[in-house]
Short mmCIF file of all heavy atoms in Angstrom, two decimals:
data_model
loop_
_atom_site.label_atom_id
_atom_site.label_comp_id
_atom_site.label_asym_id
_atom_site.label_seq_id
_atom_site.Cartn_x
_atom_site.Cartn_y
_atom_site.Cartn_z
N ASN D 1 0.84 -1.20 0.00
CA ASN D 1 0.00 0.00 0.00
C ASN D 1 0.88 1.25 0.00
O ASN D 1 2.07 1.18 0.30
CB ASN D 1 -0.90 0.00 1.24
CG ASN D 1 -2.10 0.90 1.10
OD1 ASN D 1 -2.31 1.51 0.07
ND2 ASN D 1 -2.91 0.98 2.15
N SER D 2 0.26 2.38 -0.33
CA SER D 2 0.92 3.69 -0.27
C SER D 2 0.12 4.62 0.63
O SER D 2 -1.11 4.51 0.70
CB SER D 2 0.98 4.34 -1.65
OG SER D 2 1.88 3.70 -2.47
N ILE D 3 0.83 5.53 1.27
CA ILE D 3 0.18 6.58 2.04
C ILE D 3 0.91 7.89 1.76
O ILE D 3 2.03 7.90 1.27
CB ILE D 3 0.21 6.30 3.56
CG1 ILE D 3 1.66 6.18 4.07
CG2 ILE D 3 -0.62 5.09 3.91
CD1 ILE D 3 1.78 6.13 5.60
N ASN D 4 0.24 8.99 2.06
CA ASN D 4 0.88 10.30 2.07
C ASN D 4 1.22 10.61 3.51
O ASN D 4 0.37 10.49 4.39
CB ASN D 4 -0.04 11.36 1.49
CG ASN D 4 -0.24 11.17 0.01
OD1 ASN D 4 0.71 10.90 -0.71
ND2 ASN D 4 -1.47 11.30 -0.44
N TYR D 5 2.48 10.99 3.75
CA TYR D 5 2.96 11.18 5.11
C TYR D 5 3.94 12.35 5.12
O TYR D 5 5.03 12.25 4.54
CB TYR D 5 3.64 9.88 5.59
CG TYR D 5 4.03 9.85 7.02
CD1 TYR D 5 3.08 9.67 8.02
CD2 TYR D 5 5.36 9.98 7.40
CE1 TYR D 5 3.45 9.62 9.35
CE2 TYR D 5 5.74 9.92 8.73
CZ TYR D 5 4.77 9.75 9.70
OH TYR D 5 5.12 9.69 11.02
N TYR D 6 3.55 13.44 5.73
CA TYR D 6 4.40 14.63 5.82
C TYR D 6 4.98 15.03 4.46
O TYR D 6 6.20 15.10 4.28
CB TYR D 6 5.52 14.46 6.85
CG TYR D 6 5.03 14.41 8.27
CD1 TYR D 6 4.90 13.20 8.93
CD2 TYR D 6 4.69 15.58 8.93
CE1 TYR D 6 4.44 13.15 10.23
CE2 TYR D 6 4.24 15.54 10.24
CZ TYR D 6 4.11 14.33 10.88
OH TYR D 6 3.65 14.29 12.18
N ASN D 7 4.11 15.28 3.51
CA ASN D 7 4.48 15.73 2.16
C ASN D 7 5.32 14.72 1.38
O ASN D 7 6.01 15.09 0.44
CB ASN D 7 5.20 17.08 2.20
CG ASN D 7 4.33 18.17 2.76
OD1 ASN D 7 3.13 18.22 2.47
ND2 ASN D 7 4.89 19.02 3.59
N GLN D 8 5.29 13.47 1.79
CA GLN D 8 5.99 12.42 1.07
C GLN D 8 5.00 11.32 0.73
O GLN D 8 3.98 11.14 1.41
CB GLN D 8 7.10 11.82 1.92
CG GLN D 8 8.22 12.77 2.25
CD GLN D 8 9.31 12.07 3.02
OE1 GLN D 8 10.12 11.37 2.45
NE2 GLN D 8 9.31 12.25 4.34
N LYS D 9 5.30 10.58 -0.31
CA LYS D 9 4.56 9.36 -0.61
C LYS D 9 5.39 8.23 -0.03
O LYS D 9 6.60 8.14 -0.29
CB LYS D 9 4.40 9.18 -2.11
CG LYS D 9 3.68 7.92 -2.47
CD LYS D 9 3.61 7.75 -3.98
CE LYS D 9 3.00 6.39 -4.27
NZ LYS D 9 3.35 5.93 -5.59
N VAL D 10 4.78 7.37 0.74
CA VAL D 10 5.49 6.26 1.36
C VAL D 10 4.84 4.96 0.91
O VAL D 10 3.64 4.76 1.10
CB VAL D 10 5.48 6.35 2.91
CG1 VAL D 10 6.36 5.26 3.50
CG2 VAL D 10 5.92 7.72 3.38
N ASP D 11 5.63 4.11 0.27
CA ASP D 11 5.17 2.80 -0.17
C ASP D 11 5.61 1.76 0.83
O ASP D 11 6.75 1.79 1.32
CB ASP D 11 5.75 2.44 -1.53
CG ASP D 11 5.24 3.32 -2.66
OD1 ASP D 11 4.17 3.94 -2.49
OD2 ASP D 11 5.90 3.38 -3.71
N LEU D 12 4.73 0.82 1.11
CA LEU D 12 5.05 -0.29 2.01
C LEU D 12 5.15 -1.57 1.20
O LEU D 12 4.28 -1.87 0.39
CB LEU D 12 3.97 -0.43 3.09
CG LEU D 12 4.20 -1.53 4.13
CD1 LEU D 12 5.38 -1.18 5.03
CD2 LEU D 12 2.95 -1.76 4.97
N TYR D 13 6.23 -2.31 1.44
CA TYR D 13 6.46 -3.60 0.79
C TYR D 13 6.67 -4.66 1.85
O TYR D 13 7.16 -4.37 2.95
CB TYR D 13 7.73 -3.54 -0.08
CG TYR D 13 7.60 -2.66 -1.28
CD1 TYR D 13 7.80 -1.29 -1.19
CD2 TYR D 13 7.27 -3.19 -2.53
CE1 TYR D 13 7.69 -0.47 -2.29
CE2 TYR D 13 7.16 -2.37 -3.64
CZ TYR D 13 7.37 -1.01 -3.52
OH TYR D 13 7.25 -0.21 -4.61
N HIS D 14 6.32 -5.89 1.51
CA HIS D 14 6.63 -7.04 2.36
C HIS D 14 7.66 -7.88 1.63
O HIS D 14 7.52 -8.13 0.42
CB HIS D 14 5.37 -7.87 2.64
CG HIS D 14 5.61 -8.97 3.61
ND1 HIS D 14 5.77 -10.27 3.23
CD2 HIS D 14 5.75 -8.95 4.96
CE1 HIS D 14 5.98 -11.02 4.30
NE2 HIS D 14 5.97 -10.24 5.35
N MET D 15 8.70 -8.28 2.36
CA MET D 15 9.79 -9.00 1.71
C MET D 15 10.49 -9.89 2.74
O MET D 15 10.97 -9.41 3.77
CB MET D 15 10.79 -8.00 1.14
CG MET D 15 12.01 -8.60 0.51
SD MET D 15 13.16 -7.35 -0.05
CE MET D 15 13.68 -6.64 1.50
N ASN D 16 10.52 -11.18 2.46
CA ASN D 16 11.28 -12.12 3.30
C ASN D 16 11.00 -11.94 4.79
O ASN D 16 11.92 -11.93 5.60
CB ASN D 16 12.78 -11.99 3.04
CG ASN D 16 13.16 -12.26 1.60
OD1 ASN D 16 12.50 -13.05 0.93
ND2 ASN D 16 14.19 -11.62 1.12
N GLY D 17 9.74 -11.77 5.15
CA GLY D 17 9.36 -11.67 6.55
C GLY D 17 9.51 -10.30 7.19
O GLY D 17 9.29 -10.17 8.39
N ILE D 18 9.89 -9.30 6.41
CA ILE D 18 9.99 -7.94 6.96
C ILE D 18 9.15 -6.99 6.12
O ILE D 18 8.80 -7.28 4.98
CB ILE D 18 11.45 -7.42 7.01
CG1 ILE D 18 12.04 -7.32 5.60
CG2 ILE D 18 12.30 -8.28 7.92
CD1 ILE D 18 13.37 -6.58 5.55
N PHE D 19 8.83 -5.85 6.70
CA PHE D 19 8.14 -4.79 5.98
C PHE D 19 9.15 -3.68 5.72
O PHE D 19 9.95 -3.33 6.60
CB PHE D 19 6.97 -4.24 6.80
CG PHE D 19 5.84 -5.23 6.92
CD1 PHE D 19 5.72 -6.02 8.05
CD2 PHE D 19 4.92 -5.37 5.90
CE1 PHE D 19 4.68 -6.93 8.17
CE2 PHE D 19 3.89 -6.29 6.00
CZ PHE D 19 3.76 -7.07 7.13
N VAL D 20 9.12 -3.13 4.52
CA VAL D 20 10.07 -2.10 4.10
C VAL D 20 9.29 -0.89 3.61
O VAL D 20 8.32 -1.03 2.86
CB VAL D 20 10.99 -2.62 2.98
CG1 VAL D 20 11.90 -1.51 2.48
CG2 VAL D 20 11.81 -3.80 3.47
N GLU D 21 9.70 0.30 4.06
CA GLU D 21 9.10 1.55 3.61
C GLU D 21 10.04 2.25 2.64
O GLU D 21 11.24 2.30 2.86
CB GLU D 21 8.84 2.48 4.79
CG GLU D 21 7.75 1.99 5.72
CD GLU D 21 7.54 2.91 6.89
OE1 GLU D 21 8.54 3.18 7.61
OE2 GLU D 21 6.41 3.35 7.10
N VAL D 22 9.45 2.80 1.58
CA VAL D 22 10.18 3.61 0.61
C VAL D 22 9.57 5.01 0.66
O VAL D 22 8.40 5.20 0.34
CB VAL D 22 10.07 3.02 -0.81
CG1 VAL D 22 10.78 3.93 -1.81
CG2 VAL D 22 10.62 1.61 -0.86
N PHE D 23 10.38 5.98 1.10
CA PHE D 23 9.93 7.36 1.24
C PHE D 23 10.31 8.14 -0.02
O PHE D 23 11.49 8.32 -0.32
CB PHE D 23 10.60 8.01 2.45
CG PHE D 23 10.14 7.46 3.76
CD1 PHE D 23 10.69 6.28 4.25
CD2 PHE D 23 9.18 8.11 4.50
CE1 PHE D 23 10.28 5.76 5.46
CE2 PHE D 23 8.76 7.60 5.72
CZ PHE D 23 9.31 6.42 6.20
N TYR D 24 9.30 8.61 -0.74
CA TYR D 24 9.51 9.32 -2.00
C TYR D 24 9.03 10.76 -1.84
O TYR D 24 7.91 11.00 -1.39
CB TYR D 24 8.73 8.63 -3.12
CG TYR D 24 8.75 9.38 -4.43
CD1 TYR D 24 9.88 9.37 -5.25
CD2 TYR D 24 7.64 10.08 -4.85
CE1 TYR D 24 9.89 10.06 -6.45
CE2 TYR D 24 7.64 10.76 -6.06
CZ TYR D 24 8.77 10.75 -6.85
OH TYR D 24 8.79 11.43 -8.03
N HIS D 25 9.88 11.73 -2.20
CA HIS D 25 9.52 13.14 -2.12
C HIS D 25 9.12 13.62 -3.51
O HIS D 25 9.97 13.73 -4.39
CB HIS D 25 10.69 13.97 -1.57
CG HIS D 25 10.26 15.32 -1.13
ND1 HIS D 25 10.13 16.37 -2.00
CD2 HIS D 25 9.90 15.77 0.09
CE1 HIS D 25 9.73 17.43 -1.34
NE2 HIS D 25 9.58 17.09 -0.06
N PRO D 26 7.83 13.89 -3.74
CA PRO D 26 7.37 14.22 -5.10
C PRO D 26 7.86 15.57 -5.64
O PRO D 26 8.01 15.72 -6.84
CB PRO D 26 5.84 14.23 -4.97
CG PRO D 26 5.56 14.40 -3.52
CD PRO D 26 6.74 13.84 -2.79
N VAL D 27 8.17 16.52 -4.80
CA VAL D 27 8.64 17.82 -5.27
C VAL D 27 10.04 17.69 -5.87
O VAL D 27 10.32 18.21 -6.96
CB VAL D 27 8.64 18.87 -4.13
CG1 VAL D 27 9.26 20.17 -4.59
CG2 VAL D 27 7.21 19.10 -3.63
N SER D 28 10.91 16.96 -5.21
CA SER D 28 12.27 16.79 -5.72
C SER D 28 12.42 15.53 -6.58
O SER D 28 13.48 15.29 -7.15
CB SER D 28 13.27 16.72 -4.56
OG SER D 28 12.99 15.59 -3.75
N SER D 29 11.36 14.74 -6.67
CA SER D 29 11.37 13.48 -7.44
C SER D 29 12.52 12.56 -7.03
O SER D 29 13.21 11.97 -7.85
CB SER D 29 11.45 13.75 -8.94
OG SER D 29 10.32 14.46 -9.36
N THR D 30 12.72 12.45 -5.72
CA THR D 30 13.79 11.60 -5.21
C THR D 30 13.28 10.68 -4.11
O THR D 30 12.33 11.01 -3.39
CB THR D 30 14.96 12.43 -4.63
OG1 THR D 30 14.44 13.27 -3.59
CG2 THR D 30 15.62 13.28 -5.69
N ILE D 31 13.94 9.55 -4.00
CA ILE D 31 13.67 8.65 -2.88
C ILE D 31 14.52 9.13 -1.72
O ILE D 31 15.74 9.21 -1.81
CB ILE D 31 13.98 7.20 -3.25
CG1 ILE D 31 13.01 6.72 -4.32
CG2 ILE D 31 13.92 6.31 -2.01
CD1 ILE D 31 13.27 5.34 -4.84
N HIS D 32 13.86 9.48 -0.63
CA HIS D 32 14.53 10.02 0.55
C HIS D 32 15.14 8.91 1.41
O HIS D 32 16.21 9.07 1.99
CB HIS D 32 13.53 10.85 1.35
CG HIS D 32 14.03 11.36 2.64
ND1 HIS D 32 14.98 12.34 2.75
CD2 HIS D 32 13.72 11.01 3.91
CE1 HIS D 32 15.22 12.58 4.02
NE2 HIS D 32 14.48 11.78 4.75
N GLU D 33 14.42 7.78 1.48
CA GLU D 33 14.90 6.71 2.37
C GLU D 33 14.24 5.39 1.99
O GLU D 33 13.09 5.36 1.56
CB GLU D 33 14.55 7.06 3.82
CG GLU D 33 15.02 6.06 4.83
CD GLU D 33 14.67 6.45 6.27
OE1 GLU D 33 13.93 7.43 6.47
OE2 GLU D 33 15.13 5.75 7.17
N ILE D 34 14.98 4.31 2.16
CA ILE D 34 14.45 2.95 2.07
C ILE D 34 14.89 2.26 3.35
O ILE D 34 16.10 2.14 3.61
CB ILE D 34 15.00 2.19 0.84
CG1 ILE D 34 14.66 2.92 -0.45
CG2 ILE D 34 14.46 0.76 0.82
CD1 ILE D 34 15.30 2.31 -1.68
N ALA D 35 13.92 1.84 4.16
CA ALA D 35 14.28 1.28 5.47
C ALA D 35 13.22 0.31 5.95
O ALA D 35 12.06 0.37 5.54
CB ALA D 35 14.43 2.41 6.48
N THR D 36 13.65 -0.57 6.83
CA THR D 36 12.72 -1.48 7.49
C THR D 36 11.69 -0.66 8.25
O THR D 36 12.03 0.29 8.96
CB THR D 36 13.48 -2.40 8.46
OG1 THR D 36 14.52 -3.06 7.75
CG2 THR D 36 12.56 -3.41 9.10
N ALA D 37 10.42 -1.03 8.10
CA ALA D 37 9.34 -0.31 8.77
C ALA D 37 9.31 -0.64 10.25
O ALA D 37 9.47 -1.80 10.64
CB ALA D 37 8.00 -0.67 8.13
N GLU D 38 9.13 0.38 11.05
CA GLU D 38 8.95 0.17 12.48
C GLU D 38 7.56 -0.45 12.70
O GLU D 38 6.58 0.00 12.11
CB GLU D 38 9.03 1.51 13.23
CG GLU D 38 10.39 2.16 13.17
CD GLU D 38 11.44 1.39 13.93
OE1 GLU D 38 11.10 0.72 14.91
OE2 GLU D 38 12.62 1.45 13.52
N PRO D 39 7.46 -1.47 13.53
CA PRO D 39 6.17 -2.13 13.75
C PRO D 39 5.07 -1.17 14.20
O PRO D 39 3.91 -1.35 13.84
CB PRO D 39 6.48 -3.16 14.84
CG PRO D 39 7.93 -3.45 14.68
CD PRO D 39 8.55 -2.15 14.24
N ASN D 40 5.42 -0.13 14.94
CA ASN D 40 4.40 0.80 15.43
C ASN D 40 3.88 1.73 14.33
O ASN D 40 2.98 2.52 14.57
CB ASN D 40 4.93 1.61 16.62
CG ASN D 40 6.10 2.50 16.24
OD1 ASN D 40 6.74 2.32 15.20
ND2 ASN D 40 6.40 3.46 17.10
N ARG D 41 4.41 1.65 13.10
CA ARG D 41 3.93 2.46 11.99
C ARG D 41 3.02 1.68 11.03
O ARG D 41 2.39 2.26 10.16
CB ARG D 41 5.12 3.02 11.18
CG ARG D 41 5.94 4.04 11.93
CD ARG D 41 7.13 4.51 11.14
NE ARG D 41 6.86 4.80 9.75
CZ ARG D 41 6.28 5.92 9.29
NH1 ARG D 41 5.91 6.85 10.12
NH2 ARG D 41 6.08 6.09 8.00
N LEU D 42 2.98 0.37 11.16
CA LEU D 42 2.24 -0.45 10.21
C LEU D 42 0.75 -0.14 10.18
O LEU D 42 0.11 -0.28 9.13
CB LEU D 42 2.47 -1.93 10.48
CG LEU D 42 3.91 -2.41 10.29
CD1 LEU D 42 4.02 -3.88 10.63
CD2 LEU D 42 4.41 -2.13 8.88
N HIS D 43 0.20 0.31 11.29
CA HIS D 43 -1.22 0.63 11.32
C HIS D 43 -1.58 1.78 10.37
O HIS D 43 -2.73 1.94 9.99
CB HIS D 43 -1.66 0.99 12.75
CG HIS D 43 -1.17 2.34 13.19
ND1 HIS D 43 0.12 2.52 13.65
CD2 HIS D 43 -1.77 3.55 13.20
CE1 HIS D 43 0.28 3.81 13.94
NE2 HIS D 43 -0.84 4.45 13.68
N LEU D 44 -0.61 2.58 9.98
CA LEU D 44 -0.87 3.69 9.06
C LEU D 44 -1.31 3.19 7.68
O LEU D 44 -1.98 3.91 6.95
CB LEU D 44 0.39 4.56 8.89
CG LEU D 44 0.92 5.22 10.16
CD1 LEU D 44 2.27 5.87 9.87
CD2 LEU D 44 -0.08 6.24 10.68
N TYR D 45 -0.96 1.99 7.33
CA TYR D 45 -1.23 1.45 6.00
C TYR D 45 -2.54 0.68 5.91
O TYR D 45 -3.07 0.50 4.82
CB TYR D 45 -0.09 0.54 5.56
CG TYR D 45 1.20 1.28 5.41
CD1 TYR D 45 2.11 1.37 6.46
CD2 TYR D 45 1.51 1.94 4.23
CE1 TYR D 45 3.29 2.07 6.34
CE2 TYR D 45 2.69 2.65 4.09
CZ TYR D 45 3.57 2.71 5.15
OH TYR D 45 4.74 3.42 5.02
#
C-alpha cells in the first residue's frame, strides 16, 4: 500500500518476513529513504 505522510509518498512492501518503507519526495522526485518499517507504523497502512 501507499500513504501520504508529511508531504511524502510512502510505499510499504513485504519481503522475506519484513516490511520495508520507501519514502519518495514528489517535489524533488527523489527517494529520501528505504528502510525497514517500524512495527508501530504499520497501522498507518
Side-chain angles (χ1 to χ4, degrees):
N1 200 2
S2 289
I3 60 171
N4 291 317
Y5 188 75
Y6 291 101
N7 298 320
Q8 295 183 79
K9 178 183 174 202
V10 186
D11 292 340
L12 182 69
Y13 292 84
H14 186 258
M15 177 183 67
N16 301 329
I18 63 170
F19 291 98
V20 176
E21 291 178 305
V22 177
F23 291 82
Y24 173 76
H25 196 276
V27 174
S28 62
S29 297
T30 58
I31 294 176
H32 174 70
E33 181 179 8
I34 301 174
T36 305
E38 294 292 331
N40 64 343
R41 292 177 44 79
L42 296 178
H43 73 280
L44 299 172
Y45 296 93

